[in-house]
Amino acid sequence: MFVFLSKFLPLWVYPTGIITICLIAGIVLVRRYPRLTQAILAAALAVLFIAGNRWVSTALARSLEWRYLPPAEVPEAGVIVVLGGGTQAADYPRSTVEINGAGDRMLYAIQLYNEGKAPFLLMSGGYIEWLNDNPVSPAEDMAQLAMTFGVPAEAIWLQPESQNTYEGAVYSAQILRERGIGRALLVTSALHMPRSVALFEAQGIDVVPLPTDYTVTQREWEDLTRGSLQEMVISLVPNVSNLSVTTTVMKEYIGMLVYSLRGWM
């Protein structure tokens, strides 16, 4: 039930959820309370403009992503831990496992393995039965993809049980302790890294954060803050891409708050 509520309830505090609530309230109240309805609709419009403009979404993403920047030199460790979320299952009509927008996690982890930074890859991620009928876990999908790129099966460890980031840290840490590994290279998306590092450290695992899949680059930030007047005006207009980034950042901050309140990080 916790997993379901953790997925369902935040939907209503994300921008699209707030806008939906406002629109429903406006429809219900428009005849009896026209002025209140106007205020509610104005609030919905404000949320859309604030959450959907590039200035806000980029600044929010940068506040998380730039907490951990790539090190000048990647050290060696006993294992590379890759957190799930970067693959799409081989459901018809896909002919094989595919990568999504967060697929840089897999590509970077494979690159690190090929560079000899660690002798093993630990794939972490389980499937949620009520959310996905496919019984193949993200960990298994990542393993299949890694082997497609030449990583031998004996170099891959699986953690297919977790249903959220907290469980991913707990179950992965258990595997690492059983194998006598106290330090790992941690690969996940830059937005996801602050929460992930805190969770692994709470489990007593020393991790080297190796973020990838950055939303905000140095050039993009400079273009936004030093661009022309025309660029600045265009950046104020809401679009789906910016709204998605804002939502993802809110998901991370809400997750960090909830996990902290539960004493997990």
Side-chain angles (χ1 to χ4, degrees):
M1 180 58 70
F2 172 77
V3 174
F4 170 75
L5 292 177
S6 70
K7 304 291 184 183
F8 177 75
L9 293 179
L11 295 175
W12 300 102
V13 296
Y14 295 153
T16 52
I18 295 174
I19 292 170
T20 300
I21 291 173
C22 288
L23 292 177
I24 293 173
I27 292 172
V28 172
L29 300 174
V30 63
R31 290 189 176 181
R32 295 189 61 182
Y33 305 99
R35 290 188 177 181
L36 177 59
T37 299
Q38 289 179 349
I40 292 173
L41 294 180
L45 187 61
V47 170
L48 177 61
F49 266 90
I50 293 173
N53 82 74
R54 188 179 171 214
W55 286 88
V56 171
S57 65
T58 301
L60 286 174
R62 186 174 183 267
S63 72
L64 280 177
E65 290 188 340
W66 286 34
R67 293 190 190 185
Y68 293 100
L69 297 173
E73 180 65 28
V74 177
E76 295 183 1
V79 66
I80 302 167
V81 178
V82 192
L83 300 187
T87 56
Q88 300 283 358
D91 295 332
Y92 182 83
R94 298 186 190 120
S95 59
T96 185
V97 175
E98 299 179 357
I99 60 175
N100 56 28
D104 296 341
R105 303 179 188 188
M106 278 302 307
L107 300 179
Y108 189 33
I110 293 170
Q111 175 187 328
L112 292 170
Y113 172 82
N114 289 333
E115 292 174 352
K117 297 302 181 181
F120 299 101
L121 291 170
L122 172 56
M123 309 303 192
S124 175
Y127 79 98
I128 300 175
E129 185 175 355
W130 55 265
L131 193 62
N132 189 347
D133 292 332
N134 188 343
V136 179
S137 68
E140 294 168 289
D141 283 340
M142 289 192 292
Q144 179 180 331
L145 193 61
M147 288 187 287
T148 300
F149 281 92
V151 179
E154 57 270 22
I156 299 174
W157 301 343
L158 295 181
Q159 187 288 103
E161 304 300 328
S162 59
Q163 296 189 344
N164 54 42
T165 306
Y166 167 69
E167 292 183 358
V170 171
Y171 298 151
S172 295
Q174 181 179 347
I175 292 173
L176 297 182
R177 283 192 292 267
E178 290 173 351
R179 299 179 185 240
I181 295 178
R183 190 184 195 216
L185 306 181
L186 180 61
V187 176
T188 189
S189 297
L191 274 172
H192 192 227
M193 187 61 78
R195 181 158 55 124
S196 302
V197 169
L199 289 169
F200 273 85
E201 289 181 344
Q203 294 299 316
I205 301 298
D206 178 25
V207 294
V208 178
L210 298 177
T212 187
D213 184 31
Y214 278 89
T215 304
V216 184
T217 66
Q218 179 71 42
R219 176 176 295 180
E220 288 170 337
W221 180 251
E222 291 177 354
D223 287 345
L224 178 64
T225 56
R226 303 176 189 176
S228 65
L229 177 61
Q230 293 92 330
E231 291 174 322
M232 292 182 180
V233 171
I234 290 176
S235 295
L236 289 173
V237 180
N239 64 45
V240 173
S241 177
N242 296 331
L243 198 62
S244 176
V245 171
T246 300
T247 300
T248 303
V249 175
M250 289 182 64
K251 174 184 176 182
E252 287 302 316
Y253 275 118
I254 291 172
M256 293 166 71
L257 174 62
V258 172
Y259 285 9
S260 295
L261 292 175
R262 294 181 67 92
W264 291 348
M265 56 181 286

